[in-house]
Amino acid sequence: MGTSGSRQRGSAADAGTGESTSSSSRRRPGSSSRSSSTRRGENSATGSGGSRSSRQQEGAEPAQHAPTTRAAPKKLPLPLLHQTVTLKNNINLNRNSIHLCKAEDGHETRFQLEFTFDCEAACTLTIWYVAEEEVDDSDATIRFQSNYPHQPTKMEFQPGLGHKYKVPLAEAFDTTLVATRRNLYYHQGSRLYPLVLVLQTTGSAEPQMQLTYATFKGHEGDALTVSAVRQKLQCQGAVYDMKEVYGAEQSSLDTAECVICMSNPKSIAVLPCRHLCMCSDCAKDLHRSMDGCPMCRCKVESLLQMNL
């Protein structure tokens, strides 16, 4: 009876360890211990892996993170709408018509200027080379000083449109008379201008003066050209910077409709790109939506009301 009981306990143990323990009774003790220990290691590893898997499946809910608060986007300032003041300009030099050509005597360093201008009143023309601007803020008076050997002379013109002027050969500009080649070019912020063309009305009730500032272009050895830098208008005791407005030309006024609604007349220019392209109603929508210029997608900094 005692032997039988031991066998039952052995069977119970065998059932717990599986086939590896029952087969070890037919092997040498050394191999049996190694085999059983190896299998037990595998079972324990599998068991522990299974427990991790079950914990992941059953798993606890993930930790709740504190909600992140996003900063509200900064509101960009709305573009301002500026009203323009209409000034009648009795004199105007076409800045795109200024041209520099080689002197007729064939000298490589001498050049003659050509340009076109309009005047509705009698006026004078003065050409300054390599001149420094002096402004008297008390009365908005503009004067020039130049070290160029040939001082300018005033030429008189009668009222007329499309005046074409070419500097006489005797007054041709000579680059060898300039102190340094650096003075042939305008530098941002400087008051020294390589070329200034001054138109001034004479004998009119409201005197006006238009100034066209230009710079020469071209590296040493290359052909020298000229290009306008800025224009000013002095009238009514003040000085105004003149800016071209794209779309305000006479040819553009033939198709004067707003580019957005295609029905109302365009009267709003976008700054700083200066495209005249919208009516006032569409400009209000653009003002609210903060979209770019309809013509070039440039950022809208301000709007300009034009009275055409």
Side-chain angles (χ1 to χ4, degrees):
M1 295 293 290
T3 306
S4 175
S6 64
R7 286 200 187 103
Q8 288 176 356
R9 285 195 297 274
S11 299
D14 291 345
T17 57
E19 292 181 0
S20 60
T21 307
S22 61
S23 60
S24 65
S25 60
R26 294 191 297 270
R27 295 184 182 181
R28 293 191 302 271
S31 62
S32 173
S33 61
R34 284 194 299 268
S35 175
S36 62
S37 63
T38 303
R39 296 297 181 90
R40 281 195 298 272
E42 291 174 355
N43 290 341
S44 62
T46 305
S48 61
S51 64
R52 283 196 299 269
S53 175
S54 63
R55 282 197 301 271
Q56 290 175 359
Q57 292 176 0
E58 294 175 1
E61 294 183 358
Q64 297 294 327
H65 296 285
T68 57
T69 57
R70 294 183 179 179
K74 293 183 179 179
K75 292 184 178 181
L76 298 175
L78 293 175
L80 300 176
L81 178 62
H82 300 280
Q83 298 290 333
T84 58
V85 177
T86 303
L87 297 173
K88 183 177 181 180
N89 190 8
N90 293 323
I91 47 177
N92 183 60
L93 189 146
N94 184 349
R95 60 184 294 163
N96 296 320
S97 69
I98 306 174
H99 178 66
L100 192 68
C101 57
K102 289 287 184 69
E104 296 168 355
D105 58 7
H107 283 279
E108 293 293 325
T109 61
R110 285 164 56 84
F111 300 88
Q112 291 174 265
L113 278 172
E114 294 179 333
F115 50 86
T116 304
F117 66 92
D118 302 324
C119 56
E120 295 185 3
C123 70
T124 61
L125 170 66
T126 308
I127 301 176
W128 291 87
Y129 296 108
V130 195
E132 186 172 3
E133 180 188 47
E134 298 176 355
V135 181
D136 188 344
D137 295 330
S138 62
D139 56 0
T141 302
I142 299 177
R143 301 181 183 88
F144 295 95
Q145 294 290 336
S146 174
N147 292 325
Y148 187 75
H150 300 314
Q151 294 297 313
T153 57
K154 287 186 178 181
M155 294 154 283
E156 296 183 356
F157 294 88
Q158 294 302 312
L161 303 179
H163 283 289
K164 293 182 179 179
Y165 180 77
K166 184 175 182 178
V167 172
L169 178 61
E171 300 176 8
F173 175 65
D174 193 340
T175 58
T176 61
L177 299 179
V178 181
T180 63
R181 190 172 180 87
R182 175 183 171 84
N183 291 342
L184 292 176
Y185 312 111
Y186 172 71
H187 304 277
Q188 188 68 32
S190 173
R191 287 191 175 273
L192 184 69
Y193 293 90
L195 175 65
V196 183
L197 308 173
V198 183
L199 284 174
Q200 188 168 10
T201 59
T202 57
S204 60
E206 293 184 1
Q208 293 183 348
M209 181 169 64
Q210 187 198 50
L211 307 103
T212 302
Y213 303 80
T215 181
F216 297 107
K217 292 185 175 182
H219 299 289
E220 190 170 0
D222 297 340
L224 202 64
T225 61
V226 65
S227 176
V229 175
R230 67 190 302 187
Q231 283 185 307
K232 292 181 181 180
L233 179 66
Q234 183 186 39
C235 65
Q236 299 179 1
V239 178
Y240 302 90
D241 263 310
M242 301 178 66
K243 303 289 186 182
E244 286 186 308
V245 176
Y246 306 108
E249 302 86 357
Q250 188 62 40
S251 58
S252 301
L253 295 179
D254 297 334
T255 55
E257 294 83 9
C258 168
V259 299
I260 298 177
C261 66
M262 302 298 290
S263 58
N264 297 329
K266 55 186 180 182
S267 60
I268 303 294
V270 179
L271 297 179
C273 63
R274 305 196 303 275
H275 280 119
L276 176 64
C277 55
M278 293 180 292
C279 66
S280 57
D281 292 337
C282 292
K284 293 176 183 177
D285 294 336
L286 181 78
H287 187 274
R288 288 191 293 265
S289 63
M290 293 296 295
D291 287 337
C293 170
M295 300 298 293
C296 65
R297 311 313 299 173
C298 172
K299 178 184 176 182
V300 179
E301 293 184 2
S302 59
L303 301 173
L304 196 63
Q305 176 79 48
M306 305 288 292
N307 299 315
L308 300 176

